[in-house]
Amino acid sequence: MGRAAEFPSLFQRVLSMSLDQALSHAVRNHLLLFIVRAFQSLDTELVRKECAPLVSIGIWHNLSSDRSRELRLEAHPFLKKAWRAGNKRYEAADDAAKAKLRFDRSWLYSMILNFLDILYAPEAASPGALLYCERFVELLTDLESQLPTRRYVNSLIQELNLLSAIKLSPPFADDKHGLLRDLYALFRHFVYFAVVDHTGAQLSPTESYEAHCDTLARLQRIALKNFKEKLTILALSNYASIDLREELESHLSALADEEIVQLCVHLGYRTTYPKTTRLVRDRAFYTEVIVSNHERRKTFQEVAAELNILPTEESLFEPTLLRNESYDGSTPLALPKLNLQYLTVGDFLWRSFILYRCEAFFEIRKDVESAACLRLPALRSNGARDAQSFSKTAMTIPKPVILDIGAPRVGDDRPAFVRAEVSLDCTRMGNDIRREWESLRPDDVVFLLAVVPSTSSPRHFNGGPSSLAADATTIKHLRTAQVVQICDERGQPLRDPQPPGFKSHQYRRAGRFCKLILNLDSDAWNRDKERVAKGKSDVYMEMNLIVRRKGRENNFKPILTSIRDLILSDVVIPAWLEEVFLGYGDTTAAHHTHLPNRIPTLDFGDTFLDWKHLEESFPAAAVAIDHQKVATSEPLFRLEIIQTAPDSTPSQPSKKRRRVETGEPSAPGPSIRASAYKPPYNGPYLTDAIKRNNVRFTPKQVEAISSGMQPGLTVIIGPPGTGKTDVATQIINNLYHNFPQQRTLLVAHSNQALNQLFQKIIALDIDERHLLRLGHGEEDLETDANYSKYGRVDSFLHNRARLLHDVDKLAASLQAPGAHGNSCETAAYFKTVYVEPAWRRFQDRLHSSEETTSSIIQAFPFSSFFSDAPQPLFPQDASVAEMTEIATGCYRHIAKIFSGLEDIRPFEILRGAKDKANYLLIKEARVIAMTSTHAAMKRQEIAGLGFHYDNVVMEEAAQITEIESFITLAMQHSKDGTVPLQRIVLCGDHLQNSPVIQNLAFRQFANLEQSLFLRLVRQGVPTLTLDKQGRARPSLAGLYRWRYQHLGDLPIVQTAPEYQQANAGFRYEYQFIDVPDYKGAGESEPSPHFIQNLGEAEYAVAIYQYMRLLGYPASSITILATYAGQRALIRDVLSHRCARNPLFGLPRIVATVDKYQGEQSEYIILSLTRSSRVGYLRDVRRMTVALSRARLGLYILGRREVFETSYELRHAFDLLFQRPDTLQLTTGEMYPTSRALEEVASVTMEGVEHLGQYVYEMTQARVAALKALPDGGTDVPGAIAEPNPDADADAEMEDVQAEAEAEAEDVEEVDGANLDEPRPE
């Protein structure tokens, strides 16, 4: 901060002004918002230093009496020490410092009293006053929700009886002030949260109830002692009969007003307040104080258990949730926030559950409203149905038929299941849509709706009014159901039974109709039956619409179930991680340098390519290299890392529990002893050769690999192109070889990233029988083998036949009679009786001093078995030692056959395919890969099998929500209160895209887009930042280099020919191209958030055509757009101009920027789309992704006047605007060119029309040249007999525009309109 020295005075001025009652509510609201933001930024040392005194133990000077304070100080001995230290500091201060200390310790107390005055003032209901009260409750909630600020504040708030004062205030009593009530409920939750304020220990439900019983016992004792005549019944009653609000109020009604006050005094509750306060202290107030402190409150576990995870119309359209949709930052919201710190693990899970549920319901409501708006035939006044718009995710249905109701389970009052049948009319469906409906899978969630014509103003859909305003509809009822089966009209299942794990879903066509067998929501069914019993209509008789959602968006139920199960269970995380995860204590405590089980010697295997590479990898360490030569040109390396012990006596001791460090661990450089060894010879066949790493890792990458191999937490920040995927791959490879008994869980945000990482793992020296890929993304793996659970089982059974054949072959070579290759069991017997004795006899001969090379060859018992191996098996000039090594390697090959059969043996015993697959998961697989979403969905099922793992490697960690990251760490049940998790490796980049959260309130106010990776970085956990990029030209990397300190370039991008050569036909390797209005229009928005720009779409396609005419491969060109609507428009233009023309074809991919993170392409054409405002592109993280995808060329289309005014993006656009903003082309070049990157003469394209004409003329010239060939060019690759030139470009552009707008009307028709896509602010 350039003006950091001025911040303390600014902050003090804000604090002083916040107490000035002469200021208007509007001004004080802004001041209060500044303070709220300050307490949310405690990771910044400058801010934390100013905020900490406001919530220190000094605020206990404001408690009502010395006795009240002494009771609290006696609870924990260290509090007395802190209190005395604070008093000494005050006594030793000068007058100015004393004044500041008095101000700091009285500021919060004064603010609370002032808040009560406003709350009880006559004008409390005015907008300004009410907003101030709401914002102040938000501040108090924030203070209560983090342990460092809660520690002393909670005692002051409870002693002031603040909850009772808020509840009895006039604004709270007004039903119109729902936000204040919701904020109060959230504030109350945190005030009474079951945690020990001063230690952070979470109370179990049993401990919470015991504390509640102790409070009631104290009330009974005091009542019996002081009010025996009036409160005898209360004193003698059991706890369950007096912990209800109504019962307590009934008992206290016997006391007079003065006696109520006396009872408060005896109980230790404050009864004295400043005389000037407006707080009404009457009988109702003191009664509320007593009752609220003694009534039984639900634990957060009970609250979570009661919340429904299957929505109804009541939960979807709950006012609290609807209020969040209009969030613009001007008001607070009654939402828990994901902070830097949490009170307990249970607190984190509860907040995540509430927020994830809100986000899921928001998305469901948006989809359901859109489908209902687009699909349902309008009901006219005469009851006739009139065909309306179309939606492929919704269908009209007759009323459901109830088939069966299961008897309630023991201890439950709801049916075990309610099975219903819904008929679907398939006659008017297109083939694609019909296939999607017929391919619904068991447990897929669908929604049954009762939709009726609206009798009031039209409902708003997706943030804007419905286009069907004339025939508006209203969702009257909504129920959730899960698919059991889909049948044809005769009741036969459409999907033929397939073996588990079968990839191709074969099913028959349903005919005219199909039937969905559904399980209805049992809880809603119970409530609906009670509703009918009261004389109301049957909800299910009114259902007339069924809505489905896309599978990747419809996983809310299993994820919410997993989170709730974690809340209700006694979840355990490793002790070494707990405090770091919660945000307390020493932020370096989980780093391997601070753990007692750090491993001094590790086998780095093929991490280093040679001795020189090893020496270069530790520039800051003292490396002692054992240069003992080994007989190989490619040795493997083993390192002993001796970490220099840090000074045990810090220069400035600190008494704070939480200490924020910045950057990377600053321990003294270690000393290293390195030695090399020869790779073992594993056999004579090519398949026996080990697979080696060929990446020359940089020193920083080696440091990251070394840290990831050690126990503890490793956080690796990987800027674009720095090879974090290669680092993660090598870590997994090294862990596999160093710790054969350990298992590694590999997680990524997307299937695409996970498959890329998994394919790199397959290429390394890891036995494929130990690899497992879970989830549907396995189908996209570009490998011959199937790595799914059932694919691996099939592979084991296939290998069984091959290995048993080898056993028969070996038995024949040893002339061993018998059917030894019948089974794994007989093979094991054969090994014990024949193979091992033969090998022992051969070893005995090897140890004889009389043996010669010829005698060794003759004595080798397995020569016949290896007769099909490359010959000679033993070279004639080999020494005895070399022959011994060859023989040992051959025996390793044989031993591997039997070890493989030993692993396969359980699959002979297990009968069911599911049992075999589960055994593979929990016993055989050592590297298990899945997406974070799959982990969240299947957590209970996988953990229930007894699955355990020792290491977690998380790729794309900055894109994974915090709760999904946590679930990944909690995929196993604890044993004896501990879990075996030893290592966590997080790889990501918090300066690129964050998790996708659609609702602005949840994203910005509640911070739901926060990843665990980002939070750990903000807290100051030691990180390792990769510092060399090998993706882009140095000049292209300069567009985003400013985002990363010390980001350099690998030698390859400075020396390789492709990086030195210019882009053929272009003057510059990157350029911003200003695109003005095309035909008088810039951006358009055919439907909400579906933004398009026809001029930029045409320009992007014209550049692509130009590049193709110059000979650029289509596979090297990618077109990116910043909005899904623009992506759809570009695809339309491509389909008109290029798809059917062999001269052009289609580019490698057309995608949105968000979907392309983690990918790269040689040449990128980027459409920024917006022409009115920057929009969500103002988020620098997204722009960083957009600028860092290209390797050799980047051409950006946008509106200069819009983006040159963006302060956040100025660093990148200042570089872009140093070059002309009109496209500069060079003539007379074809791809590839030998021209170097330098200034050359160029031709300026004045606009899209100019470029379009230029491309048209080039196309005509190319066609004429092809026609001039003897065969008319038909035999030339990419040639055409006659092109389809854009003779009437204007007319065709209008056609494209019309088609794009028509497509936008059905948002679901376009991939980019789904919930995973970015949205504007």
Side-chain angles (χ1 to χ4, degrees):
M1 297 177 63
R3 302 174 63 184
E6 299 178 14
F7 181 78
S9 60
L10 169 65
F11 192 77
Q12 288 299 317
R13 179 60 176 158
V14 170
L15 294 179
S16 301
M17 293 177 65
S18 66
L19 295 173
D20 188 353
Q21 302 183 34
L23 297 175
S24 66
H25 289 304
V27 174
R28 299 186 72 186
N29 278 328
H30 287 296
L31 296 172
L32 193 55
L33 181 60
F34 177 86
I35 297 171
V36 169
R37 296 289 184 267
F39 276 100
Q40 292 174 352
S41 306
L42 296 180
D43 55 314
T44 304
E45 184 178 2
L46 188 66
V47 178
R48 185 175 64 254
K49 183 178 179 181
E50 299 303 319
C51 291
L54 304 178
V55 293
S56 67
I57 197 172
I59 65 174
W60 280 8
H61 281 280
N62 302 292
L63 298 179
S64 59
S65 64
D66 293 341
R67 176 57 181 164
S68 176
R69 182 166 50 252
E70 287 301 323
L71 289 174
R72 289 170 169 80
L73 292 175
E74 291 172 359
H76 301 281
F78 62 84
L79 292 179
K80 289 186 177 181
K81 185 176 180 180
W83 177 259
R84 289 194 296 267
N87 289 338
K88 289 181 180 178
R89 192 180 309 112
Y90 178 80
E91 294 171 358
D94 55 24
D95 292 342
K98 286 182 178 179
K100 184 180 184 306
L101 290 172
R102 287 194 299 269
F103 176 85
D104 289 343
R105 68 192 188 193
S106 64
W107 176 83
L108 182 59
Y109 176 73
S110 303
M111 288 288 287
I112 293 176
L113 293 180
N114 184 244
F115 161 71
L116 292 175
D117 288 342
I118 297 175
L119 196 60
Y120 280 83
E123 66 278 5
S126 65
L130 185 63
L131 177 59
Y132 180 87
C133 294
E134 292 167 347
R135 187 69 75 183
F136 191 76
V137 175
E138 178 197 2
L139 171 63
L140 295 178
T141 305
D142 287 350
L143 296 180
E144 288 279 1
S145 63
Q146 298 188 88
L147 200 60
T149 54
R150 172 193 179 92
R151 189 169 290 122
Y152 306 113
V153 168
N154 192 41
S155 296
L156 178 62
I157 286 175
Q158 292 200 42
E159 213 258 356
L160 285 168
N161 304 316
L162 190 55
L163 286 170
S164 300
I166 296 174
K167 185 174 182 178
L168 296 178
S169 65
F172 188 91
D174 193 334
D175 293 339
K176 295 184 298 183
H177 302 149
L179 177 57
L180 180 63
R181 291 185 170 198
D182 293 339
L183 286 167
Y184 164 83
L186 183 63
F187 178 43
R188 182 177 182 272
H189 163 84
F190 281 111
V191 169
Y192 291 130
F193 191 84
V195 63
V196 180
D197 295 341
H198 305 291
T199 64
Q202 178 175 312
L203 302 179
S204 67
T206 301
E207 292 171 330
S208 297
Y209 184 69
E210 290 175 352
H212 169 67
C213 292
D214 291 342
T215 304
L216 290 176
R218 181 168 178 269
L219 172 64
Q220 289 180 318
R221 291 194 299 270
I222 291 175
L224 188 63
K225 178 179 179 180
N226 298 283
F227 307 97
K228 184 176 182 179
E229 296 181 358
K230 296 184 178 182
L231 298 182
T232 300
I233 297 178
L234 181 148
L236 300 179
S237 298
N238 60 61
Y239 296 149
S241 65
I242 61 173
D243 64 0
L244 298 177
R245 172 172 286 271
E246 295 76 11
E247 293 295 329
L248 281 170
E249 290 177 343
S250 175
H251 287 298
L252 295 178
S253 63
L255 298 179
D257 293 355
E258 295 79 6
E259 292 173 321
I260 288 286
V261 177
Q262 292 175 12
L263 179 57
C264 286
V265 173
H266 291 307
L267 291 170
Y269 300 138
R270 178 192 280 260
T271 58
T272 59
Y273 291 84
K275 296 180 180 179
T276 57
T277 183
R278 292 177 176 173
L279 175 64
V280 178
R281 290 153 293 166
D282 53 9
R283 178 189 180 91
F285 174 74
Y286 291 116
T287 301
E288 175 62 28
V289 170
I290 297 173
V291 171
S292 63
N293 281 282
H294 293 87
E295 66 177 336
R296 185 177 182 188
R297 296 177 289 272
K298 293 180 180 179
T299 64
F300 70 90
Q301 293 97 334
E302 293 171 330
V303 172
E306 293 175 1
L307 283 174
N308 63 310
I309 59 176
L310 295 177
T312 64
E313 73 280 358
E314 294 177 352
S315 55
L316 281 187
F317 296 98
E318 185 181 353
T320 302
L321 293 180
L322 293 177
R323 187 186 303 123
N324 299 330
E325 292 193 23
S326 59
Y327 174 74
D328 59 3
S330 61
T331 61
L333 295 174
L335 292 172
K337 300 176 184 177
L338 298 187
N339 296 331
L340 283 171
Q341 302 163 324
Y342 302 105
L343 300 177
T344 63
V345 173
D347 171 43
F348 161 73
L349 291 171
W350 180 84
R351 298 191 208 190
S352 299
F353 178 74
I354 297 298
L355 292 175
Y356 196 98
R357 177 177 177 271
C358 289
E359 170 74 0
F361 282 15
F362 164 77
E363 294 175 352
I364 292 170
R365 181 172 66 252
K366 183 187 67 172
D367 287 349
V368 166
E369 285 183 335
S370 177
C373 169
L374 291 171
R375 175 68 191 182
L376 185 71
L379 294 177
R380 299 189 179 186
S381 57
N382 59 6
R385 292 181 180 265
D386 184 25
Q388 282 288 87
S389 299
F390 170 78
S391 171
K392 67 178 184 180
T393 60
M395 291 187 64
T396 53
I397 57 171
K399 63 183 180 182
V401 177
I402 305 301
L403 300 178
D404 192 13
I405 301 176
R409 295 184 176 89
V410 177
D412 202 351
D413 60 349
R414 60 181 179 177
F417 61 86
V418 179
R419 193 150 296 159
E421 178 186 281
V422 172
S423 297
L424 303 180
D425 184 357
C426 304
T427 56
R428 301 181 62 184
M429 291 185 186
N431 288 335
D432 292 342
I433 299 174
R434 180 174 182 158
R435 187 178 299 110
E436 290 180 7
W437 278 98
E438 292 175 351
S439 61
L440 284 171
R441 295 174 299 186
D443 295 329
D444 281 354
V445 175
V446 296
F447 304 93
L448 303 177
L449 278 66
V451 186
V452 298
S454 178
T455 57
S456 59
S457 59
R459 184 183 296 280
H460 283 62
F461 296 90
N462 292 330
S466 168
S467 60
L468 306 177
D471 296 306
T473 55
T474 298
I475 298 175
K476 184 179 180 181
H477 300 296
L478 181 145
R479 294 294 179 268
T480 307
Q482 286 187 278
V483 175
V484 177
Q485 196 174 51
I486 183 168
C487 305
D488 61 18
E489 53 194 354
R490 297 185 302 276
Q492 298 299 315
L494 291 186
R495 195 183 302 274
D496 293 331
Q498 299 289 347
F502 192 72
K503 289 185 179 181
S504 178
H505 301 298
Q506 303 292 333
Y507 55 84
R508 301 188 308 276
R509 296 298 294 271
R512 294 180 57 200
F513 297 92
C514 65
K515 298 178 181 179
L516 276 179
I517 310 301
L518 306 173
N519 277 339
L520 303 179
D521 181 2
S522 298
D523 287 330
W525 173 267
N526 256 11
R527 294 191 297 269
D528 292 334
K529 292 298 100 180
E530 294 175 1
R531 186 174 181 272
V532 172
K534 296 178 181 178
K536 297 184 179 180
S537 61
D538 190 341
V539 168
Y540 301 94
M541 296 299 101
E542 302 179 45
M543 297 297 179
N544 54 11
L545 194 70
I546 184 170
V547 176
R548 66 175 177 83
R549 303 173 72 214
K550 294 182 179 179
R552 63 181 178 182
E553 304 161 5
N554 204 32
N555 49 32
F556 70 96
K557 181 180 183 293
I559 295 178
L560 284 173
T561 301
S562 293
I563 301 174
R564 186 163 66 181
D565 288 343
L566 286 171
I567 293 176
L568 300 180
S569 65
D570 188 15
V571 61
V572 176
I573 60 176
W576 57 267
L577 178 67
E578 184 171 4
E579 282 204 350
V580 172
F581 176 82
L582 293 176
Y584 307 119
D586 184 2
T587 56
T588 65
H591 194 257
H592 68 87
T593 56
H594 291 71
L595 294 178
N597 58 339
R598 189 179 67 85
I599 303 172
T601 303
L602 287 168
D603 187 348
F604 279 73
D606 59 358
T607 303
F608 310 103
L609 303 185
D610 47 45
W611 281 107
K612 183 179 179 181
H613 183 201
L614 170 62
E615 294 172 348
E616 293 172 347
S617 298
F618 298 96
V623 182
I625 299 178
D626 180 4
H627 284 284
Q628 180 181 357
K629 297 299 180 182
V630 293
T632 179
S633 59
E634 295 181 336
L636 304 181
F637 295 93
R638 186 177 292 108
L639 270 62
E640 180 183 1
I641 302 177
I642 305 172
Q643 193 72 38
T644 304
D647 188 358
S648 60
T649 307
S651 57
Q652 293 182 350
S654 173
K655 299 177 182 179
K656 298 179 181 179
R657 291 189 62 209
R658 182 180 182 278
R659 192 185 321 277
V660 174
E661 306 290 343
T662 58
E664 303 174 9
S666 57
S671 60
I672 297 172
R673 295 174 186 162
S675 60
Y677 64 95
K678 183 179 179 180
Y681 179 70
N682 294 322
Y685 299 100
L686 293 177
T687 54
D688 292 325
I690 66 171
K691 303 174 185 176
R692 291 187 62 96
N693 158 62
N694 57 8
V695 177
R696 196 172 190 87
F697 293 108
T698 67
K700 211 64 177 180
Q701 288 175 322
V702 170
E703 186 180 356
I705 293 170
S706 175
S707 178
M709 294 169 64
Q710 293 284 355
L713 174 65
T714 298
V715 180
I716 303 171
I717 300 175
T722 53
K724 55 181 176 290
T725 302
D726 290 327
V727 169
T729 302
Q730 192 64 29
I731 289 174
I732 294 169
N733 184 44
N734 290 356
L735 291 176
Y736 176 86
H737 290 287
N738 275 268
F739 309 102
Q741 304 304 316
Q742 294 187 6
R743 316 177 76 208
T744 300
L745 183 62
L746 174 60
V747 180
H749 167 65
S750 64
N751 280 305
Q752 183 177 353
L754 185 63
N755 287 344
Q756 288 178 352
L757 182 55
F758 198 77
Q759 285 169 188
K760 289 192 174 186
I761 293 172
I762 294 171
L764 294 179
D765 192 37
I766 295 179
D767 195 329
E768 68 172 23
R769 61 183 172 155
H770 294 144
L771 298 175
L772 180 61
R773 169 71 164 88
L774 300 182
H776 293 291
E778 189 277 335
E779 300 169 4
D780 299 325
L781 270 175
E782 297 177 0
T783 57
D784 295 331
N786 186 335
Y787 288 92
S788 67
K789 280 199 299 185
Y790 296 101
R792 285 290 85 203
V793 171
D794 291 342
S795 176
F796 268 82
L797 298 179
H798 174 76
N799 290 338
R800 172 182 178 272
R802 177 178 57 82
L803 295 175
L804 289 177
H805 176 268
D806 288 344
V807 171
D808 283 335
K809 177 183 172 184
L810 183 60
S813 71
L814 294 177
Q815 300 179 351
H820 301 294
N822 273 1
S823 67
C824 297
E825 184 177 2
T826 59
Y829 171 81
F830 168 68
K831 176 191 177 186
T832 303
V833 174
Y834 291 95
V835 178
E836 291 179 345
W839 176 246
R840 283 196 296 268
R841 289 193 297 270
F842 176 72
Q843 283 186 310
D844 292 340
R845 295 197 61 174
L846 285 177
H847 296 151
S848 172
S849 59
E850 300 178 356
E851 292 297 326
T852 63
T853 56
S854 59
S855 63
I856 291 176
I857 295 175
Q858 292 176 358
F860 185 60
F862 308 118
S863 297
S864 177
F865 177 78
F866 289 105
S867 61
D868 59 347
Q871 298 296 324
L873 191 63
F874 297 96
Q876 295 181 353
D877 57 347
S879 64
V880 172
E882 290 173 339
M883 286 190 171
T884 302
E885 182 183 5
I886 293 173
T888 304
C890 290
Y891 187 72
R892 287 195 186 101
H893 177 91
I894 294 173
K896 188 176 180 180
I897 295 174
F898 291 102
S899 66
L901 288 171
E902 186 65 27
D903 290 339
I904 295 171
R905 188 172 181 179
F907 296 96
E908 288 187 338
I909 301 172
L910 297 170
R911 294 301 180 187
K914 186 175 182 180
D915 292 335
K916 293 178 181 178
N918 289 339
Y919 176 86
L920 174 74
L921 171 63
I922 63 176
K923 292 294 185 181
E924 190 63 32
R926 287 178 52 197
V927 178
I928 303 97
M930 67 184 79
T931 64
S932 57
T933 301
H934 185 86
M937 293 172 60
K938 300 294 185 180
R939 185 260 168 195
Q940 192 67 18
E941 175 185 338
I942 293 175
L945 294 173
F947 176 68
H948 72 276
Y949 53 97
D950 306 272
N951 315 302
V952 171
V953 177
M954 195 178 301
E955 174 72 310
E956 291 185 326
Q959 289 184 269
I960 302 176
T961 60
E962 193 162 9
I963 183 59
E964 289 183 346
S965 297
F966 180 84
I967 291 176
T968 300
L969 307 181
M971 295 286 289
Q972 55 190 335
H973 293 315
S974 62
K975 296 180 182 179
D976 301 324
T978 60
V979 290
L981 187 59
Q982 297 185 34
R983 295 173 186 83
I984 299 173
V985 180
L986 304 181
C987 303
D989 183 4
H990 58 292
L991 299 181
Q992 296 188 60
N993 282 343
S994 61
V996 176
I997 304 297
Q998 298 293 351
N999 188 287
L1000 184 65
F1002 307 142
R1003 184 169 69 245
Q1004 292 189 356
F1005 181 85
N1007 206 20
L1008 185 56
E1009 70 170 358
Q1010 173 176 272
S1011 64
L1012 175 62
F1013 185 93
L1014 173 60
R1015 185 166 69 87
L1016 293 175
V1017 172
R1018 289 185 61 195
Q1019 286 176 355
V1021 167
T1023 61
L1024 290 161
T1025 303
L1026 307 183
D1027 58 354
K1028 301 291 184 183
Q1029 71 88 21
R1031 171 186 295 171
R1033 299 180 191 268
S1035 57
L1036 283 176
L1039 295 174
Y1040 54 87
R1041 201 187 305 273
W1042 57 274
R1043 290 280 284 160
Y1044 304 94
Q1045 291 185 358
H1046 314 302
L1047 178 60
D1049 301 313
L1050 289 175
I1052 187 172
V1053 300
Q1054 298 172 337
T1055 59
E1058 63 177 341
Y1059 292 102
Q1060 299 299 310
Q1061 296 168 354
N1063 296 337
F1066 294 92
R1067 178 180 177 182
Y1068 300 109
E1069 72 279 16
Y1070 69 84
Q1071 192 177 1
F1072 179 91
I1073 304 158
D1074 185 32
V1075 181
D1077 286 352
Y1078 178 73
K1079 291 189 176 296
E1083 68 180 61
S1084 61
E1085 194 169 1
S1087 65
H1089 315 303
F1090 199 77
I1091 299 174
Q1092 300 178 329
N1093 188 316
L1094 182 59
E1096 290 188 18
E1098 290 285 355
Y1099 216 135
V1101 173
I1103 294 176
Y1104 168 72
Q1105 290 178 306
Y1106 172 72
M1107 296 176 73
R1108 291 289 290 129
L1109 290 171
L1110 293 183
Y1112 284 87
S1115 60
S1116 67
I1117 306 171
T1118 294
I1119 302 179
L1120 297 182
T1122 53
Y1123 283 83
Q1126 183 70 354
R1127 178 189 61 182
L1129 182 58
I1130 291 173
R1131 285 178 173 175
D1132 284 339
V1133 177
L1134 284 168
S1135 67
H1136 278 72
R1137 307 240 185 273
C1138 306
R1140 294 181 296 275
N1141 191 331
L1143 277 179
F1144 304 120
L1146 295 177
R1148 175 173 176 244
I1149 192 171
V1150 179
T1152 59
V1153 170
D1154 284 5
K1155 289 295 183 182
Y1156 207 63
Q1157 177 163 342
E1159 296 293 309
Q1160 64 182 21
S1161 181
E1162 279 76 9
Y1163 307 97
I1164 295 287
I1165 303 170
L1166 172 63
S1167 172
L1168 299 180
T1169 310
R1170 301 309 296 263
S1171 61
S1172 61
R1173 60 188 180 91
V1174 177
Y1176 77 90
L1177 289 176
R1178 196 178 299 276
D1179 187 340
V1180 183
R1181 297 172 300 181
R1182 185 169 279 107
M1183 186 56 70
T1184 301
V1185 175
L1187 297 175
S1188 59
R1189 300 305 96 196
R1191 295 180 59 244
L1192 303 175
L1194 174 63
Y1195 302 97
I1196 304 172
L1197 305 170
R1199 185 67 60 88
R1200 175 166 184 161
E1201 63 187 29
V1202 171
F1203 290 94
E1204 69 182 350
T1205 60
S1206 174
Y1207 177 80
E1208 295 84 352
L1209 308 177
R1210 69 189 187 282
H1211 296 285
F1213 280 94
D1214 284 349
L1215 289 174
L1216 289 169
F1217 293 148
Q1218 289 177 7
R1219 295 179 173 180
D1221 59 11
T1222 53
L1223 182 60
Q1224 305 292 305
L1225 305 181
T1226 59
T1227 58
E1229 288 184 332
M1230 294 295 290
Y1231 175 88
T1233 181
S1234 59
R1235 173 170 59 90
L1237 283 174
E1238 57 187 14
E1239 292 288 335
V1240 295
S1242 61
V1243 176
T1244 300
M1245 295 291 107
E1246 299 298 340
V1248 63
E1249 296 90 346
H1250 189 185
L1251 180 61
Q1253 182 64 30
Y1254 190 73
V1255 169
Y1256 171 72
E1257 294 173 358
M1258 288 181 65
T1259 305
Q1260 293 292 80
R1262 174 64 64 84
V1263 172
L1266 293 174
K1267 285 183 177 181
L1269 295 175
D1271 55 1
T1274 55
D1275 293 336
V1276 178
I1280 57 173
E1282 182 68 35
N1284 181 21
D1286 301 331
D1288 191 357
D1290 293 344
E1292 190 167 340
M1293 290 180 188
E1294 292 174 1
D1295 292 341
V1296 171
Q1297 181 85 54
E1299 287 191 16
E1301 292 179 355
E1303 183 178 346
E1305 292 178 2
D1306 183 7
V1307 177
E1308 291 294 334
E1309 189 70 24
V1310 181
D1311 292 342
N1314 59 50
L1315 298 181
D1316 292 334
E1317 290 298 337
R1319 286 192 166 198
E1321 294 176 335

